[in-house]
Amino acid sequence: MEKHFLIKGGIKMAEISAINNFKKYNSKSGRSSINNVTKEAFRELEKFKNNVNHELTQFNKILVKDLSVLERQYYDTEVDSRSRDVVSVVSQVQTGNFEAKNGVDLTYMLSLEKWEQYYKENLEFLNKKFGKNAHCVYAVIHLDESTPHMQSLWTFSEANNQKDKYTVSDVNTAKVKSALTSAFLRRNKELGLTAGTDEYKKAFEEFKVQEKPKIIERQLAKMNKNKSDKKFKFESGTSPFTKDFYRTFNEEFVNDFMVNNAAVNELKNKVKVFSNEGAEVVVRRTEKVNSSEDLDRTKFAMEKEKKELESKIGSNDYSKNEFMKYTEILSKREIINRKKKISKEDFLNEFKNYETDFKVRKSNKEITDFKRIFNIKKIIKDKLNQRQNNKNFKKNLKKEIKLFDEIFKNVDFEAINKKIEDYSKGEKIEELIKNRENLYFEIKTLETEASNLKSSINFLEKEQSSKNNEIRNLDEQIWEKKMEAEKPYVVSERRKQELINEALNEARKRGDTLMRNIKKDVEKEEAKNNTIKQDILDKRLQMERELQEINNKRRQLNDSYADLEEKKRRRKAELEKLAQPIIQKEVDDLVREHLRYYKVTDKDILNFKANNKSEYDKLFGEAQARADEKIKGAYIRRKYDAGRKFINQMTNMFHQDSNGKFSLLEIEKTVIAAIENVPDNTYGWWNDFKINLDIELGNMVRERNAVRNQNKSRSQYDRSL
């Protein structure tokens, strides 16, 4: 075993990659999961809250939030229960073991603004790649978990343009292709052909020529029968998620987006400096890394491997790579713990500290190497300070520390630390000087603005003084006019009496005219009121007569309705009694007709011989030559009984599920109709039966609702009477 595992190995290349994890849902059956994912994205789900640092949640950035898009998908989009029309995406940048190896947090390598810009551009790429039928519900950048990442949710739908009559040209070709592929895979179970061979391709082409018209006909029948009043739809081809999409997406994302992205290139340069290694953007990583964005999930994902490595170290059976892997796990856990506990103030300061650290490391590459060594030593010492039950494990860790000190005994760590501090101080001083210069410039700018503002204030004060003088002048003029208007006017007594008499005469004339007009208006109103009273009286008498007639008609209708209901009940009982033997005969004929085409193979005969010895001996005793034919007859009888049992079981099951809402006769007719509509040459009898059963059940419910609505309307009419 090697004696020291802490010395840096050969030059390696740090790998920068990205993940866009897709998870698909059905908007009908998966609403609960979709709603939970949405609430988690906006930190509204209680059970997810322990996985984040609440202090940092305020730094999360919402790029898109339009929940009406999701509501439209739920209630106004036609979606099959097997479709995957809603997709969540987790987008994240990864650097492999770079963080753990160097004891740095990728979060602080870029500013908050640059992380936001990167994920905005990431979102634009997704939107373009998903196509015109993609609709973004939300996109949120999370900074309160592990590495900054973006969660987004998308729905897929297109306009549901309905036609009175669909033709072959309206059939979805993607859906036809998918149905042909699925049908041939079922057929190939019998053929046993190897996929990709010429024989397989030839058989598939012949199958398509034979079955394509049938599939198109069935789909066309469904389109004309199952029309929807919803404005949007999702079907095959609406979303871009195909095998080719998954095969090419990551490569296109890296080569067409990441390689030329400004934020990624800045991150690449900083990774080089913080690791003293080369760095490149890759499509696929050489080693698998944890893809979880969740703090706790990331932490616990490493727990199993950590325990295994501790067991090896404790038993003194570990390699160099295994020991380094162990230190990286401890380092990663330490980064996660710091992220979970950091305050918002320290969080913001870390961005400034990392920028200063970057400049210091860039000026002297040795600093990066020694900081990596310090980090490893600190991690081991922290582990030793924890309580250890395994004495050998603790012993081997102490041995590694001792070897570490022995190899680097001639290294003046104090001088190196001082050098690092001097560089850091220099950078901080430069930053302070720069900040002071910026502050001085801002002060000068503010002083100039203040001076301009003061001048403006002086000008406005002068303007205000001038306006105040104008207002005072106007007030004086108003006062003078007011006094002049209120000055008393002196007239003679004779003139006063003349004016009084003129006024009285004018008042008498106006009063007489007014009284005459009032009298005329009163007379008109009285005549109008008398006419209205007579009309009201006549209408009241008419309404009383009509009400009497309505009551008589209502009583007659009630009597007729009661008689009709009684006749209906008796007729229904008679029809069910008469129909039962007819239905029974239909069922028997149906089963016989279906079983007429049932092919009994030699294998079936051999199985019958093996499993039904007594019955076979009886048949064999009658006539050896006719034994096989009788076995076929026995199989047909058994299949007939099985068919009859299947119909009864399905009828009873749906009768129980309906809680007595439908009679056994109605349900049995529905089951038989579903069986009758299954094509004789089908390759998926059960799937065709289920589809037909859904259609027939829907028809039965609609018929029942139509009858109920008719009865309800009649009842409402009776109540109105």
Side-chain angles (χ1 to χ4, degrees):
M1 186 177 69
E2 296 180 58
K3 295 298 182 183
H4 181 66
F5 301 151
L6 302 176
I7 300 176
K8 183 184 176 185
I11 297 175
K12 295 182 180 180
M13 187 74 71
E15 295 176 333
I16 301 173
S17 63
I19 60 168
N20 288 280
N21 282 340
F22 305 109
K23 189 172 183 180
K24 296 188 285 186
Y25 305 88
N26 180 267
S27 59
K28 285 185 175 180
S29 60
R31 288 187 185 181
S32 177
S33 298
I34 295 170
N35 292 337
N36 283 342
V37 169
T38 302
K39 290 179 180 178
E40 192 274 337
F42 296 106
R43 303 296 184 244
E44 298 172 355
L45 202 60
E46 189 68 31
K47 71 177 185 178
F48 288 99
K49 289 186 177 180
N50 290 331
N51 300 329
V52 304
N53 185 336
H54 299 293
E55 284 279 312
L56 308 183
T57 300
Q58 62 179 295
F59 299 110
N60 292 348
K61 188 71 177 180
I62 299 174
L63 303 180
V64 177
K65 187 177 183 182
D66 188 0
L67 300 183
S68 64
V69 173
L70 190 59
E71 292 295 311
R72 190 181 77 179
Q73 198 74 9
Y74 283 167
Y75 305 110
D76 203 19
T77 305
E78 191 64 33
V79 179
D80 186 82
S81 58
R82 294 169 292 180
S83 299
R84 296 292 180 266
D85 58 306
V86 179
V87 177
S88 67
V89 187
V90 176
S91 305
Q92 186 178 8
V93 177
Q94 294 189 329
T95 54
N97 64 347
F98 162 74
E99 292 178 281
K101 188 176 178 181
N102 296 279
V104 296
D105 193 330
L106 195 66
T107 303
Y108 311 110
M109 304 291 278
L110 295 175
S111 66
L112 291 174
E113 293 77 16
K114 289 178 180 177
W115 279 120
E116 181 181 344
Q117 184 60 34
Y118 169 79
Y119 283 115
K120 279 182 177 178
E121 293 170 5
N122 187 326
L123 184 66
E124 290 175 4
F125 182 90
L126 292 176
N127 196 24
K128 183 179 178 181
K129 188 65 178 175
F130 288 165
K132 63 179 181 179
N133 295 329
H135 315 285
C136 188
V137 179
Y138 66 77
V140 185
I141 303 172
H142 286 165
L143 292 151
D144 56 358
E145 295 178 84
S146 183
T147 306
H149 62 275
M150 179 178 69
Q151 285 183 216
S152 58
L153 189 75
W154 306 76
T155 67
F156 293 86
S157 63
E158 56 185 311
N160 188 20
N161 298 320
Q162 298 284 355
K163 288 186 177 182
D164 295 333
K165 181 76 174 176
Y166 289 104
T167 62
V168 175
S169 61
D170 300 314
V171 174
N172 189 323
T173 55
K175 193 180 284 187
V176 172
K177 183 179 178 181
S178 177
L180 282 170
T181 304
S182 300
F184 184 73
L185 289 174
R186 292 193 295 270
R187 170 66 68 83
N188 195 45
K189 290 180 180 179
E190 299 176 5
L191 301 176
L193 301 176
T194 303
T197 61
D198 292 339
E199 188 180 7
Y200 181 93
K201 294 176 181 177
K202 184 180 178 182
F204 189 22
E205 291 300 321
E206 292 175 353
F207 180 82
K208 284 194 288 186
V209 172
Q210 180 183 353
E211 297 297 324
K212 187 175 180 179
K214 299 177 184 177
I215 290 175
I216 290 175
E217 186 178 351
R218 284 202 295 270
Q219 290 198 10
L220 193 59
K222 289 180 182 178
M223 289 171 66
N224 285 312
K225 187 175 183 179
N226 302 326
K227 293 183 180 180
S228 172
D229 58 351
K230 295 181 178 179
K231 296 179 181 179
F232 304 91
K233 65 179 179 179
F234 178 92
E235 55 186 16
S236 299
T238 302
S239 75
F241 293 97
T242 61
K243 290 182 179 179
D244 289 339
F245 178 90
Y246 290 113
R247 182 174 55 81
T248 61
F249 177 85
N250 200 46
E251 186 174 351
E252 291 179 5
F253 184 81
V254 171
N255 295 331
D256 297 344
F257 170 62
M258 288 192 70
V259 170
N260 300 316
N261 185 269
V264 174
N265 285 323
E266 181 180 340
L267 183 64
K268 180 179 174 181
N269 292 331
K270 288 185 175 180
V271 168
K272 288 180 180 179
V273 172
F274 274 82
S275 64
N276 269 354
E277 297 176 350
E280 62 177 347
V281 181
V282 298
V283 176
R284 294 176 181 83
R285 301 193 57 78
T286 55
E287 64 176 313
K288 187 178 179 181
V289 295
N290 191 285
S291 62
S292 176
E293 73 281 359
D294 182 275
L295 288 176
D296 284 345
R297 293 174 187 174
T298 303
K299 181 178 177 180
F300 294 128
M302 301 180 289
E303 189 65 25
K304 183 179 179 182
E305 186 176 10
K306 182 177 83 70
K307 288 182 178 179
E308 291 176 352
L309 291 172
E310 285 179 347
S311 177
K312 286 190 173 185
I313 295 171
S315 60
N316 204 29
D317 182 24
Y318 60 102
S319 65
K320 171 185 175 180
N321 290 334
E322 285 173 335
F323 188 80
M324 294 306 298
K325 183 66 177 177
Y326 179 67
T327 60
E328 288 173 8
I329 290 174
L330 295 180
S331 179
K332 184 64 178 177
R333 287 169 65 90
E334 178 63 24
I335 293 170
I336 292 170
N337 287 332
R338 285 202 303 268
K339 189 68 174 293
K340 286 189 71 175
K341 298 175 182 178
I342 195 169
S343 66
K344 60 184 179 182
E345 292 82 8
D346 291 340
F347 176 73
L348 293 173
N349 286 330
E350 280 295 275
F351 289 97
K352 298 178 182 179
N353 295 336
Y354 267 67
E355 190 63 28
T356 301
D357 194 19
F358 168 68
K359 294 177 181 178
V360 172
R361 292 171 183 253
K362 192 176 181 181
S363 63
N364 192 330
K365 292 183 178 181
E366 290 183 352
I367 293 176
T368 294
D369 293 333
F370 285 113
K371 280 197 172 186
R372 184 187 298 115
I373 294 169
F374 292 152
N375 182 60
I376 295 172
K377 187 176 179 180
K378 179 181 178 300
I379 288 170
I380 298 173
K381 285 186 174 182
D382 289 343
K383 190 65 181 176
L384 280 171
N385 292 331
Q386 298 175 11
R387 186 176 179 181
Q388 304 293 337
N389 295 325
N390 191 325
K391 292 182 179 179
N392 289 329
F393 172 76
K394 192 173 183 179
K395 181 180 177 182
N396 287 328
L397 286 186
K398 287 181 177 179
K399 183 172 67 176
E400 293 298 330
I401 289 289
K402 187 177 179 182
L403 290 170
F404 176 93
D405 292 335
E406 193 175 309
I407 290 174
F408 293 100
K409 63 182 179 181
N410 295 323
V411 178
D412 191 350
F413 287 104
E414 290 185 3
I416 294 169
N417 277 327
K418 189 175 184 306
K419 197 174 184 179
I420 293 172
E421 289 177 3
D422 290 342
Y423 273 111
S424 300
K425 286 179 181 178
E427 285 295 326
K428 289 180 179 178
I429 289 170
E430 288 182 8
E431 186 178 352
L432 288 171
I433 292 171
K434 188 177 180 180
N435 290 339
R436 189 177 67 179
E437 290 175 351
N438 292 335
L439 185 62
Y440 178 76
F441 177 76
E442 289 178 5
I443 291 170
K444 285 293 184 182
T445 303
L446 290 172
E447 286 178 349
T448 303
E449 291 178 357
S451 177
N452 294 334
L453 184 61
K454 189 176 180 181
S455 299
S456 299
I457 291 170
N458 290 334
F459 175 77
L460 290 173
E461 285 178 348
K462 290 179 181 179
E463 285 288 313
Q464 186 177 7
S465 178
S466 175
K467 296 296 181 184
N468 288 336
N469 291 331
E470 290 180 10
I471 291 170
R472 280 194 295 272
N473 292 332
L474 289 171
D475 287 341
E476 290 176 359
Q477 292 177 21
I478 291 169
W479 174 255
E480 289 175 358
K481 295 293 182 182
K482 184 179 178 183
M483 295 301 294
E484 186 178 348
E486 294 178 352
K487 187 176 180 180
Y489 182 70
V490 182
V491 295
S492 64
E493 290 295 327
R494 181 183 173 190
R495 181 56 183 162
K496 281 170 69 176
Q497 190 61 43
E498 287 177 355
L499 290 172
I500 291 170
N501 292 334
E502 288 175 3
L504 288 172
N505 291 331
E506 185 66 25
R508 288 192 191 98
K509 290 178 181 178
R510 291 182 180 179
D512 293 340
T513 304
L514 183 62
M515 289 301 294
R516 285 194 297 272
N517 293 336
I518 291 172
K519 188 176 180 180
K520 289 179 181 178
D521 292 339
V522 170
E523 291 174 352
K524 289 179 181 178
E525 288 295 324
E526 286 180 352
K528 191 185 293 184
N529 289 337
N530 291 332
T531 305
I532 293 171
K533 287 179 182 178
Q534 188 61 44
D535 290 342
I536 292 172
L537 184 61
D538 295 340
K539 287 181 180 178
R540 182 179 178 185
L541 294 172
Q542 181 65 24
M543 288 178 66
E544 287 178 353
R545 288 193 295 270
E546 291 177 355
L547 183 62
Q548 185 64 36
E549 291 177 2
I550 289 170
N551 288 333
N552 294 334
K553 288 181 181 179
R554 185 173 66 179
R555 284 192 293 271
Q556 292 173 4
L557 287 171
N558 286 337
D559 295 340
S560 300
Y561 181 73
D563 294 340
L564 182 62
E565 286 293 314
E566 180 62 25
K567 289 179 182 178
K568 227 167 76 175
R569 187 188 63 77
R570 289 198 298 269
R571 184 58 179 163
K572 185 179 179 182
E574 291 172 2
L575 288 173
E576 287 185 352
K577 187 175 180 181
L578 293 170
Q580 190 61 41
I582 298 172
I583 296 299
Q584 186 67 45
K585 186 177 181 304
E586 288 179 358
V587 172
D588 294 342
D589 293 342
L590 174 63
V591 175
R592 290 192 186 96
E593 181 67 19
H594 182 72
L595 295 176
R596 190 160 60 90
Y597 299 99
Y598 178 75
K599 185 179 179 181
V600 181
T601 64
D602 294 337
K603 186 178 179 181
D604 292 332
I605 294 171
L606 292 173
N607 290 334
F608 185 89
K609 292 177 181 179
N611 300 322
N612 304 275
K613 193 173 183 309
S614 59
E615 191 172 352
Y616 173 72
D617 291 342
K618 183 180 179 183
L619 293 171
F620 186 81
E622 293 178 1
Q624 178 68 40
R626 299 169 57 191
D628 290 348
E629 292 297 325
K630 287 189 178 276
I631 291 170
K632 291 180 182 180
Y635 260 86
I636 290 173
R637 287 195 302 276
R638 290 190 172 196
K639 293 295 182 180
Y640 170 79
D641 294 338
R644 182 69 253 177
K645 185 177 180 181
F646 172 76
I647 292 171
N648 290 337
Q649 286 178 341
M650 294 299 293
T651 300
N652 292 330
M653 181 180 71
F654 285 111
H655 185 258
Q656 290 177 359
D657 291 344
S658 70
N659 294 322
K661 293 180 180 179
F662 303 98
S663 66
L664 285 169
L665 181 62
E666 289 175 316
I667 295 174
E668 191 174 50
K669 285 181 178 179
T670 302
V671 173
I672 292 169
I675 296 173
E676 287 178 334
N677 291 330
V678 176
D680 294 335
N681 57 349
T682 183
Y683 293 101
W685 191 93
W686 178 247
N687 288 332
D688 287 346
F689 168 73
K690 288 195 293 182
I691 293 170
N692 293 339
L693 187 61
D694 288 339
I695 294 170
E696 295 298 331
L697 288 171
N699 292 336
M700 183 176 68
V701 171
R702 281 192 291 274
E703 290 174 2
R704 173 62 65 86
N705 290 337
V707 173
R708 286 181 176 174
N709 291 334
Q710 187 176 359
N711 293 337
K712 185 178 179 181
S713 299
R714 185 183 297 167
S715 176
Q716 289 174 348
Y717 174 73
D718 292 342
R719 286 196 297 271
S720 67
L721 296 178

